[in-house]
Amino acid sequence: MNRIYLDNAATTKLHEEVLNEMMPYLTDNFGNASSVHSFGRDARLGIDKARDRIAKALGASSAEIYFTSGGTEADNWALKGIAEAYSAKGKHIITSAIEHHAVLHTCAYLEKRGFRVTYLPVDEKGKINLDELKNAICDDTILISIMFANNEIGTIQPIEEIGAIAREKDVIFHTDAVQAVGNVKIYLKDSNIDLLSLSGHKIHGPKGVVSLYIRKCVKIAPFMHGGAHERNRRAGTENTAGIVGLGKALEIAAAGINAKTAALVKQRDKLIDTLLEQIPESILNGDRVDRLPGNVNICYKYIEGASLLINLDMKGIAASSGSACTSGSLDPSHVLLAIGLDHGTAHGSLRLSLGEDISDEDIDYVIKTIKETVQKLREWSPLFAAKEGGIKNV
Ligand code: PLP
């Protein structure tokens, strides 16, 4: 059976060129980058090159790029590190209701340690309101953390405007750009972003390695304590092969961003338009325009997203409902509830996140299969039967 992978927001396949670049650091160049001998120096050169590549791709300076073990660690470090470093200035943090749990659960942790957190609501498209952001800023606000693009519904926030507000009020601005980097052009020198989390495994790089951009003038407390790695800011022997892979993956993604975006947007829009047109009682989640190029998120009324996923998987289509981190849970997604959906509707969500290797024939097969599967599940659904006034085909 032809398998079609539509879960690129969860993770992506390693790019062949990335693997080739990593391979020497998994074999002959296995040294510890802190060692003074030639094995160590080779590893250090690989890490330095990756740092330069990431800085170039993002319009930052190499000294502003730090490596961590994942998006979760980068977000934890950004929030806890800023909270600790600026706690004498204030104890108020602003975020949004639809952040990834890596941010939301870190905020909950900080609340238990005496910080105040404002969770900005979002509108039905998933965007924060800039006036509400301005009004939420107090004298003791030290940090605004708003994600660049949402991992479930794909909505892209007005990052430039948020950054301008933060800068005007002298508040540090962190953005979780794990889903945006490689999909949306980002040039940090011209931005008001002070910290930015980016991930490699969402852009055909390896898992377990991430970069946190920290603007030069920003103070941050270390999160991992130990050796003097990463200029005394993040202790632990570097994952050399992973870092090399992340650098290469971002270089490839940045070079091909225009072509990738154009191709994904075309397929995304065909999926959205056709699925909405051909399947009644379906709702598009997220903003139609300010949206990640590869994101489709639709709720189908009267059915369970989980049943839809299993049925699609049996037909070779790998998709997701909600985010990968929460899809094992029976609770509806906090993002879908925050945009105003009721529990029943939120349970019927399907996220398709496209990648570069999907053909137009694949898209046609996906449309046909979703249509047939939704129809079949609705025929079995007591909720749908009640709505139609009788049970059918059971
Ligand atoms: N932030 C966002 C927006 C994400 O989508 C993810 C993962 O999907 C993370 C943070 C956490 O990244 P990781 O699972 O690599 O630690």
Side-chain angles (χ1 to χ4, degrees):
M1 182 169 54
N2 182 25
R3 292 202 302 166
I4 303 175
Y5 185 76
L6 295 179
D7 203 13
N8 289 279
T11 198
T12 55
K13 182 177 167 187
L14 197 69
H15 197 293
E16 211 177 301
E17 283 179 49
V18 172
L19 178 63
N20 291 340
E21 197 103 1
M22 289 170 71
M23 205 47 116
Y25 298 93
L26 293 165
T27 52
D28 295 341
N29 298 348
F30 60 87
N32 183 324
S34 300
S35 300
V36 290
H37 48 63
S38 65
F39 289 85
R41 290 199 307 275
D42 285 347
R44 175 61 54 206
L45 281 177
I47 292 173
D48 288 347
K49 187 171 170 189
R51 209 186 299 279
D52 292 345
R53 277 175 163 164
I54 293 168
K56 188 167 170 225
L58 294 178
S61 103
S62 300
E64 295 171 314
I65 303 299
Y66 294 83
F67 296 111
T68 78
S69 69
T72 303
E73 186 191 326
D75 287 343
N76 267 261
W77 184 19
L79 272 76
K80 292 176 187 167
I82 293 298
E84 191 181 328
Y86 290 86
S87 63
K89 184 180 171 212
K91 293 211 148 193
H92 181 229
I93 294 166
I94 299 173
T95 189
S96 85
I98 61 163
E99 299 296 308
H100 191 274
H101 283 136
V103 167
L104 289 179
H105 290 172
T106 305
C107 285
Y109 168 89
L110 288 169
E111 280 184 287
K112 285 196 194 125
R113 272 143 196 87
F115 288 85
R116 254 169 40 255
V117 181
T118 300
Y119 299 89
L120 292 175
V122 292
D123 64 17
E124 71 285 357
K125 304 278 193 288
K127 282 202 184 168
I128 65 155
N129 178 304
L130 294 173
D131 288 328
E132 281 178 356
L133 170 65
K134 278 185 210 156
N135 292 337
I137 298 175
C138 309
D139 291 343
D140 67 338
T141 306
I142 51 170
L143 175 67
I144 295 170
S145 179
I146 303 287
M147 71 200 317
F148 208 115
N150 186 268
N151 45 305
E152 291 187 42
I153 57 174
T155 298
I156 298 171
Q157 297 290 348
I159 290 297
E160 235 179 274
E161 290 86 341
I162 297 169
I165 293 168
R167 188 56 54 94
E168 194 199 319
K169 300 279 186 184
D170 197 23
V171 176
I172 290 169
F173 175 36
H174 164 249
T175 186
D176 173 345
V178 163
Q179 295 288 340
V181 166
N183 287 310
V184 181
K185 279 191 190 162
I186 298 176
Y187 194 72
L188 289 165
K189 275 204 180 88
D190 292 344
S191 80
N192 288 314
I193 296 169
D194 294 309
L195 298 104
L196 174 141
S197 317
L198 76 101
S199 173
H201 74 98
K202 312 288 186 185
I203 49 167
H204 306 288
K207 294 174 186 51
V209 60
V210 150
S211 175
L212 180 65
Y213 158 83
I214 307 172
R215 193 179 283 282
K216 240 175 238 148
C217 51
V218 170
K219 287 188 292 176
I220 190 161
F223 176 61
M224 303 284 269
H225 300 277
H229 310 85
E230 295 293 280
R231 285 92 80 207
N232 281 314
R233 282 183 152 176
R234 199 279 183 184
T237 300
E238 294 91 342
N239 168 5
T240 312
I243 290 170
V244 166
L246 170 62
K248 184 66 184 170
L250 187 55
E251 185 183 73
I252 296 171
I257 197 163
N258 288 340
K260 174 185 168 183
T261 305
L264 289 186
V265 164
K266 198 165 153 240
Q267 292 189 331
R268 177 197 74 187
D269 289 349
K270 180 173 178 187
L271 269 171
I272 291 177
D273 292 341
T274 320
L275 287 170
L276 290 180
E277 190 189 293
Q278 296 197 358
I279 307 177
E281 308 236 36
S282 50
I283 300 162
L284 176 70
N285 299 311
D287 197 280
R288 191 70 179 79
V289 180
D290 292 328
R291 178 178 203 100
L292 285 173
N295 176 285
V296 177
N297 188 316
I298 295 182
C299 279
Y300 294 104
K301 288 195 169 184
Y302 315 112
I303 61 170
E304 283 290 329
S307 315
L308 183 54
L309 280 192
I310 294 164
N311 278 273
L312 292 179
D313 190 32
M314 289 191 300
K315 301 216 162 120
I317 300 170
S320 114
S321 78
S323 64
C325 317
T326 53
S327 55
S329 147
L330 287 178
D331 294 335
S333 136
H334 67 285
V335 176
L336 299 180
L337 296 182
I339 60 172
L341 298 186
D342 59 71
H343 280 230
T345 307
H347 270 301
S349 82
L350 177 72
R351 180 186 72 179
L352 309 172
S353 40
L354 306 175
E356 294 92 319
D357 52 354
I358 303 296
S359 68
D360 290 343
E361 290 72 44
D362 290 338
I363 296 289
D364 291 338
Y365 174 75
V366 168
I367 291 169
K368 179 175 156 286
T369 311
I370 293 176
K371 192 178 163 189
E372 286 169 4
T373 313
V374 170
Q375 213 163 354
K376 185 181 84 182
L377 291 173
R378 281 185 176 164
E379 282 169 6
W380 292 342
S381 158
L383 289 173
F384 190 66
K387 174 198 169 274
E388 296 283 290
I391 298 187
K392 295 176 179 178
N393 294 342
V394 182

